[in-house]
Amino acid sequence: MRKAILTDITKCIGCLKCVSACKEVHSLKEDEPRIWQKNDGLSADNWTSIIQKPDSHYIRKQCRHCIEPACASVCPVGALHKTEIGAVVYDSSKCLGCRYCMMACPFGIPRYEWDKTVPHVEKCILCYDRIKKGELPACTNACPTGATIFGDRSELLKIAHKRIKENPGKYINKVWGEHEVGGTSVLYLSDIDLGFLSYPVNLETKPLPEKTAKAMESVPFAFVSMGGVMLGLNWIIRRRMELSKEQSKKKESEDE
Amino acid sequence: MNRVHNTKFVLWLIAGFAAAVVLNRFIFGLGVTTNLNDRTPWGLWIGFDVMGGVALASGGFVITAIFYIMKREQFYPLVKPAVLTAFLGYLAVISGLLVDLGLPWNIWHMIIYWNPHSPLFEVGWCVMLYTSVLLLEFSPVPLEKFSRYAKVRNFLMKFRFVFVLLGIMLSTLHQSSLGTLFLIMPFKLYPLWYSNILPIQFFISAIALGLMVVALESLVSHWLYKRKPETNLVAKLCRIAAWVLTLYFVVKITDIIAEDKFSLIFNGAWQSNLFIIEVLISTIIPAVLFAVPKFYNNVKVQWTGSSLVIIGMVLNRIDVGGLVMLGVTGDSYTPAWTEIVISLGIVSIAALVFLFVIENFHVWETQPIEPESIPHKLPLFDYSSRTWLGTPDVSSVTTHSLAFVISFAVGMALMPGKHLHSKGIDNIKVSPASGIDTLYINGNRDNQFVKFPHQAHISRIGKDSCFTCHHLNMPGEKLSQCWECHTSMYTSVDFFKHNSHISNKNANLKCDDCHKSGENRSALTAKKCTSCHPTYNFFTYGKNTIQKYKILSYTDAMHNLCVSCHILESRKLKDKPNLALCSTCHKTQLPDYLSAAVSWKIKVPHFNSVILPGVDLKKKIIKSVLKSQ
């Protein structure tokens, strides 16, 4: 069953309990001020963060656990992979540190341990271990107002649409994460536009890995056809040279 | 002095400098030696060393295709140097990648952990295979010198055509796959560069670039060794390049028009202007130059044209590899000098190896190298002073190693010590709050102010509450300000000033006054502060008790006091339920008189003493004036 998290922006009071619970569960160290945190507050030691917007809007940012994750599709050694539960998890023993995942993520989620001599990629793993044990993810467990809840993706989607229907005018009529880049496992209900959570304000609904898949499918074809073309070209040119040699020989013999 | 000798000297200097920086990069990690960050994870090393490097090393497959496949025999003199350049180029790419990777010792993981969906996986494999193929292609040249390897050499020569064919096929794949890398980020790459046929564009431009690299490499090495330039051959390369560049231009422009992006080119954005410059340098100008016979036969034009293509195409790779993404990520990344030095260092080491191979093996066909052009083959005798400068080989080696060692030392010395030992937090000194009754607190100078109205607090919670914040005073003061003791923004500092206690200007105490004689003299065994300073109102927060002589960081001190009280009050007060929110205090707009002061960088000292009772105002003013001096 595909699990998911639904975050209702209107219910969040910005108490940061999810952030501290996440730190405690994953034993992340205290954070240090960094330039880029002015934007979203995520870092190698901060897998989730609260972004504050005017008028008491608090938006929790975390890994979206895309259904077809770009990060996992680009990792050359498969250090990131999508589990059957829906979490995108990271295997630090495979990683070689190319940081392609950080480039490919449309939400800019994966972060790097820049200060370490042996650095790894860090990001939310949807508390994969806890879910397997039957527990709730640390953040949803800690939330005092029920702003962020955990459950099956299909059910959470039903809940989200129900909330929109029952409270007309309260929400923008859209569940963020339902369709973007093929759907994500972290969904948002909001009364303000959440376009700022991803690099382009409007993400396509097509999964991103499809874009490279086409080019990658043609790789064997390109390889073989290039060899064929080169061999063919070589054969034609050689044949021509032979012919011209024979002709010149003939000419020579005729001249004699 | 001599061209070759001087060039090598400079190359060794750069190499030594880079070696020091590389050492530091591996000891201290990427954070302190680069300007890379979470928003710009790929920088100069990927853009120039890897993307540009692979493209620059494309000369090998282009020339072998022309010579072995298309049987253009006249290009024979260019083949061996081109294959050598390609081989060294790929080694340079791999070493650049090893510096850039976070965990370079795991690079072999690509062999055992497969993810065929990843373009990088494909590039990695191709580069690995192609580098081996290039080694096999080139190794007959050095093996020629050793007669006992004749059999191996013959074997390699027999399969040379297969290697060449394999090399071309592999090059096709990874030259284009470097473009595929960026297909997954349509949201980051500026639309003028993003295209579904980016792989094809990359492949075509790699061919043009390869031709030009071979041309420039021939021009440079002939200039270095004062040989007669191969003008005719280079002119032929230029003519082919003109066709390829035209094809590249047509493909690129057709794609842009078909995707309806043409209007973007002239919209004035910096990316668009960069695009115009890039296309001009890399394609239009050289293609026009090389279309005219008068020009492409001229050595000077060959120099300019080939350099333009190389600069332009490398710029293209850097653009795609991250430069134009800065507009989207909103980051301001400029490569750190360390990044630039390492990039240059890799290039110079590759160049040194190239010169070494050229001097010692049979790479050039047409003319042997003139012995005069190699300094270490000449006897070294200083006629003016009538002294023997040592055997020729030794003297040259000495100068070059000296260059390396000295620049290595300079490189080590230049690594900023503050960076090397930094653990992430800089000890930011707290700047005093400004304002009169209402304080505007801007401890870390990021101009995000916190407002603290004195009078409002006093009227709500009474005058006794003053001492909640003003819990301790500097000696001789009555209401010291927060920042006077909590001097550091994020880190805790020592409370106890040992020097002031023992100095005869201040307390003038003997050791025995605080430390019992015979006991181990330490902070833990010393007399308690309160025994001498009974009026001191110490806070004890968690582990940071006064016994450890620590003052909380400014942020912690403020948050502990304000937030705990605000949370309690917010439960009591019905008219202000939002009192406990961060936004109640943070991100306050400044009043006009202060915002002007801030923009003019004038310090406005806060005279809380004006409204608070029992403080010697004169003393305060004198003190603040003294401080500002």
Side-chain angles (χ1 to χ4, degrees):
Chain A
M1 211 50 187
R2 188 159 277 154
K3 300 289 182 186
I5 283 179
L6 173 67
T7 301
D8 190 335
I9 300 304
T10 58
K11 287 189 177 181
C12 180
I13 54 163
C15 66
L16 294 166
K17 278 194 174 168
C18 46
V19 179
S20 60
C22 176
K23 284 200 177 227
E24 211 175 299
V25 165
H26 298 289
S27 49
L28 305 172
K29 67 174 179 346
E30 268 182 52
D31 218 358
E32 294 164 358
R34 288 276 193 168
I35 314 159
W36 56 83
Q37 282 179 12
K38 276 184 185 165
N39 292 306
D40 62 9
L42 287 183
S43 78
D45 300 310
N46 248 5
W47 291 358
T48 180
S49 69
I50 302 278
I51 302 172
Q52 191 188 352
K53 290 276 165 186
D55 302 332
S56 299
H57 280 107
Y58 300 95
I59 298 100
R60 186 157 84 92
K61 190 167 182 177
Q62 64 174 121
C63 175
R64 301 289 285 266
H65 299 278
C66 308
I67 290 174
E68 288 192 45
C71 56
S73 101
V74 299
C75 181
V77 289
L80 287 156
H81 74 275
K82 181 96 181 156
T83 57
E84 71 288 350
I85 290 175
V88 179
V89 296
Y90 171 69
D91 181 354
S92 61
S93 66
K94 283 184 182 175
C95 181
L96 47 83
C98 67
R99 310 190 288 282
Y100 193 8
C101 47
M102 302 172 69
M103 291 294 285
C105 178
F107 304 100
I109 294 295
R111 300 294 154 124
Y112 211 56
E113 298 178 318
W114 295 102
D115 285 337
K116 292 194 178 167
T117 330
V118 184
H120 290 118
V121 174
E122 297 286 346
K123 70 168 202 63
C124 163
I125 53 168
L126 207 68
C127 287
Y128 182 58
D129 301 339
R130 287 171 63 96
I131 294 176
K132 273 204 294 192
K133 274 189 243 162
E135 295 172 43
L136 286 174
C139 48
T140 57
N141 197 24
C143 186
T145 61
T148 182
I149 50 173
F150 176 78
D152 290 337
R153 187 170 186 269
S154 46
E155 275 178 30
L156 286 181
L157 274 174
K158 269 182 213 160
I159 292 174
H161 284 294
K162 204 177 149 196
R163 277 190 202 172
I164 293 175
K165 243 187 208 170
E166 286 176 357
N167 304 293
K170 190 180 178 189
Y171 299 103
I172 290 177
N173 188 11
K174 178 179 178 182
V175 181
W176 269 272
E178 191 179 7
H179 300 300
E180 287 102 327
V181 288
T184 66
S185 299
V186 171
L187 309 161
Y188 288 93
L189 268 181
S190 170
D191 54 345
I192 54 165
D193 189 22
L194 294 184
F196 59 86
L197 282 179
S198 55
Y199 277 126
V201 176
N202 291 311
L203 276 173
E204 292 176 43
T205 50
K206 265 190 189 170
L208 287 169
E210 277 179 17
K211 296 202 174 274
T212 43
K214 264 184 218 160
M216 291 307 292
E217 274 164 19
S218 59
V219 160
F221 171 75
F223 187 68
V224 174
S225 61
M226 193 64 192
V229 166
M230 284 293 136
L231 274 179
L233 211 61
N234 184 249
W235 183 80
I236 294 169
I237 290 169
R238 269 194 203 169
R239 184 77 193 139
R240 262 196 203 163
M241 285 162 77
E242 276 170 25
L243 285 176
S244 65
K245 258 185 200 170
E246 276 172 23
Q247 273 182 354
S248 57
K249 266 185 193 173
K250 265 184 198 172
K251 266 188 187 173
E252 276 171 27
S253 55
E254 277 169 16
D255 291 344
E256 284 168 8
Chain B
M1 286 293 263
N2 187 288
R3 266 180 205 167
V4 183
H5 186 78
N6 286 346
T7 315
K8 278 189 190 165
F9 187 82
V10 173
L11 292 178
W12 275 112
L13 270 182
I14 301 173
F17 207 66
V21 181
V22 168
L23 197 66
N24 280 309
R25 177 254 170 273
F26 280 110
I27 295 174
F28 298 105
L30 288 163
V32 293
T33 41
T34 65
N35 278 351
L36 298 173
N37 60 44
D38 282 337
R39 295 189 156 257
T40 317
W42 283 3
L44 180 76
W45 288 340
I46 293 287
F48 176 74
D49 294 20
V50 177
M51 303 274 296
V54 169
L56 285 171
S58 57
F61 91 92
V62 176
I63 285 294
T64 49
I66 292 175
F67 179 73
Y68 289 103
I69 305 289
M70 296 170 195
K71 293 280 170 199
R72 295 285 179 269
E73 307 277 345
Q74 69 267 38
F75 286 103
Y76 183 62
L78 293 181
V79 174
K80 282 191 206 167
V83 173
L84 175 62
T85 323
F87 179 54
L88 293 176
Y90 274 93
L91 288 185
V93 167
I94 292 171
S95 25
L97 197 61
L98 286 177
V99 176
D100 180 77
L101 287 181
L103 309 161
W105 45 88
N106 282 352
I107 195 169
W108 58 274
H109 277 183
M110 246 184 239
I111 303 171
I112 53 166
Y113 302 120
W114 282 32
N115 181 13
H117 300 292
S118 168
L120 193 61
F121 169 79
E122 198 247 289
V123 172
W125 264 93
C126 276
V127 168
M128 257 190 292
L129 290 176
Y130 186 47
T131 313
S132 330
V133 167
L134 278 171
L135 178 67
L136 294 175
E137 257 183 69
F138 187 70
S139 49
V141 176
L143 287 180
E144 207 178 355
K145 264 203 165 177
F146 311 101
S147 53
R148 58 183 148 148
Y149 296 121
K151 267 188 189 170
V152 182
R153 188 170 180 273
N154 286 338
F155 179 78
L156 288 175
M157 292 295 274
K158 218 184 256 174
F159 287 98
R160 181 161 255 195
F161 187 80
V162 180
F163 296 148
V164 167
L165 190 66
L166 207 58
I168 295 167
M169 290 155 79
L170 287 169
S171 292
T172 318
L173 286 198
H174 68 258
Q175 292 289 359
S176 52
S177 287
L178 277 182
T180 318
L181 283 187
F182 296 91
L183 286 185
I184 202 157
M185 7 184 152
F187 46 87
K188 271 191 187 173
L189 204 53
Y190 197 69
L192 281 175
W193 280 274
Y194 187 83
S195 146
N196 288 325
I197 56 161
L198 198 62
I200 298 171
Q201 291 182 7
F202 262 49
F203 179 62
I204 301 174
S205 58
I207 296 176
L209 188 56
L211 291 165
M212 289 296 90
V213 168
V214 175
L216 190 71
E217 173 246 290
S218 157
L219 290 169
V220 170
S221 55
H222 285 67
W223 172 82
L224 261 186
Y225 289 100
K226 296 180 182 164
R227 297 163 82 230
K228 214 180 131 207
E230 295 158 323
T231 318
N232 280 338
L233 280 181
V234 174
K236 267 175 198 153
L237 289 180
C238 292
R239 274 168 64 198
I240 306 172
W243 283 109
V244 182
L245 286 173
T246 318
L247 175 68
Y248 173 66
F249 183 71
V250 170
V251 167
K252 200 160 185 153
I253 285 296
T254 323
D255 181 60
I256 283 175
I257 293 171
E259 301 266 317
D260 209 14
K261 293 172 189 163
F262 192 77
S263 56
L264 277 178
I265 301 178
F266 301 104
N267 71 355
W270 66 268
Q271 292 102 327
S272 308
N273 295 338
L274 186 68
F275 181 81
I276 296 173
I277 294 171
E278 182 207 298
V279 173
L280 272 180
I281 297 179
S282 71
T283 320
I284 299 177
I285 298 175
V288 171
L289 282 181
F290 293 154
V292 186
K294 199 176 141 194
F295 282 159
Y296 62 66
N297 283 321
N298 185 327
V299 180
K300 273 184 191 167
V301 178
Q302 289 174 356
W303 272 91
T304 2
S306 53
S307 318
L308 279 181
V309 174
I310 289 171
I311 294 170
M313 287 301 180
V314 170
L315 180 65
N316 170 262
R317 298 303 196 266
I318 292 176
D319 286 344
V320 175
L323 184 58
V324 293
M325 293 179 190
L326 295 182
V328 178
T329 54
D331 193 57
S332 61
Y333 162 83
T334 36
W337 65 268
T338 40
E339 289 176 70
I340 298 170
V341 165
I342 290 185
S343 292
L344 288 178
I346 291 170
V347 174
S348 12
I349 291 169
L352 281 172
V353 179
F354 181 80
L355 295 181
F356 172 81
V357 177
I358 266 194
E359 281 168 17
N360 291 287
F361 299 102
H362 183 59
V363 179
W364 278 337
E365 295 300 323
T366 46
Q367 301 152 281
I369 305 163
E370 292 169 32
E372 291 81 30
S373 63
I374 306 171
H376 66 255
K377 293 274 155 51
L378 292 171
L380 266 164
F381 189 78
D382 188 4
Y383 291 101
S384 56
S385 63
R386 300 197 162 225
T387 41
W388 180 247
L389 294 175
T391 49
D393 279 332
V394 171
S395 117
S396 174
V397 168
T398 317
T399 19
H400 291 152
S401 7
L402 196 67
F404 183 85
V405 171
I406 287 176
S407 68
F408 184 86
V410 172
M412 285 304 266
L414 269 181
M415 289 305 292
K418 189 186 122 201
H419 263 178
L420 294 189
H421 306 296
S422 152
K423 292 226 168 72
I425 303 183
D426 281 337
N427 201 350
I428 298 174
K429 225 187 154 217
V430 174
S431 73
S434 35
I436 300 169
D437 164 47
T438 304
L439 296 188
Y440 290 89
I441 304 167
N442 179 23
N444 57 357
R445 297 181 188 81
D446 68 348
N447 288 352
Q448 304 275 337
F449 290 84
V450 166
K451 195 163 136 186
F452 181 81
H454 270 113
Q455 206 55 264
H457 278 83
I458 292 173
S459 61
R460 268 190 188 272
I461 47 177
K463 272 194 177 177
D464 292 342
S465 64
C466 297
F467 302 104
T468 313
C469 294
H470 297 276
H471 58 107
L472 205 57
N473 294 315
M474 300 289 271
E477 287 187 8
K478 278 186 181 169
L479 281 173
S480 292
Q481 296 161 25
C482 313
W483 53 269
E484 292 186 62
C485 295
H486 301 278
T487 49
S488 172
M489 192 69 198
Y490 300 112
T491 51
S492 48
V493 288
D494 271 344
F495 168 80
F496 178 73
K497 289 188 177 104
H498 198 258
N499 266 348
S500 325
H501 282 82
I502 55 169
S503 139
N504 54 9
K505 280 181 191 163
N506 296 311
N508 197 14
L509 296 175
K510 289 172 219 151
C511 302
D512 287 354
D513 290 343
C514 296
H515 302 285
K516 275 180 202 164
S517 55
E519 257 187 24
N520 195 9
R521 279 173 189 166
S522 76
L524 287 172
T525 57
K527 217 188 217 178
K528 282 192 177 175
C529 303
T530 40
S531 60
C532 293
H533 306 279
T535 54
Y536 272 25
N537 177 15
F538 292 125
F539 274 96
T540 45
Y541 270 116
K543 288 171 192 168
N544 275 327
T545 62
I546 201 68
Q547 271 302 319
K548 293 199 173 176
Y549 306 103
K550 288 285 179 198
I551 298 178
L552 285 182
S553 71
Y554 194 68
T555 35
D556 284 345
M558 293 290 154
H559 282 156
N560 284 356
L561 272 179
C562 303
V563 177
S564 55
C565 193
H566 269 226
I567 288 176
L568 289 177
E569 291 294 314
S570 71
R571 286 179 193 150
K572 284 189 225 158
L573 298 172
K574 279 181 183 168
D575 57 331
K576 288 206 165 178
N578 285 345
L579 203 60
L581 292 182
C582 309
S583 56
T584 310
C585 303
H586 281 283
K587 294 192 180 170
T588 309
Q589 283 290 317
L590 276 182
D592 288 344
Y593 78 97
L594 274 180
S595 59
V598 166
S599 62
W600 288 91
K601 295 194 176 169
I602 299 169
K603 273 187 188 169
V604 181
H606 89 257
F607 295 108
N608 57 358
S609 35
V610 175
I611 51 119
L612 290 172
V615 174
D616 188 358
L617 179 60
K618 224 178 185 179
K619 202 173 157 190
K620 277 278 164 194
I621 296 174
I622 291 169
K623 206 177 158 193
S624 64
V625 168
L626 282 177
K627 267 193 181 163
S628 64
Q629 285 170 354

